[in-house]
Amino acid sequence: MRIIPLRGAGVVWFKCPACRLKCRPPAVGAEGRCPRCSEARMLKLSFGGRVTTSAADGDRS
């Protein structure tokens, strides 16, 4: 059984702009359509992730 994280770094959700349904990527319908209203465009929401700093930022004095 695969455990899917619901929170934390790198978690991705999709949101339908028409019906406001939020779902995980496995629940998105064929060709990225909304499973509730079949809207063709789902918005990708990503929460968290890695914070990167450049080497120039670390050299400031």
Side-chain angles (χ1 to χ4, degrees):
M1 178 176 181
R2 183 175 177 191
I3 299 172
I4 300 170
L6 297 177
R7 298 183 194 156
V11 173
V12 177
W13 289 84
F14 285 94
K15 182 177 179 182
C16 178
C19 69
R20 298 184 181 156
L21 174 72
K22 292 182 196 136
C23 61
R24 296 297 308 254
V28 175
E31 293 141 13
R33 294 185 176 270
C34 176
R36 182 187 289 168
C37 69
S38 297
E39 175 72 25
R41 182 183 61 152
M42 295 285 284
L43 303 174
K44 184 177 181 181
L45 307 172
S46 60
F47 302 101
R50 290 190 222 171
V51 177
T52 58
T53 59
S54 65
D57 290 340
D59 293 338
R60 290 185 183 168
S61 302

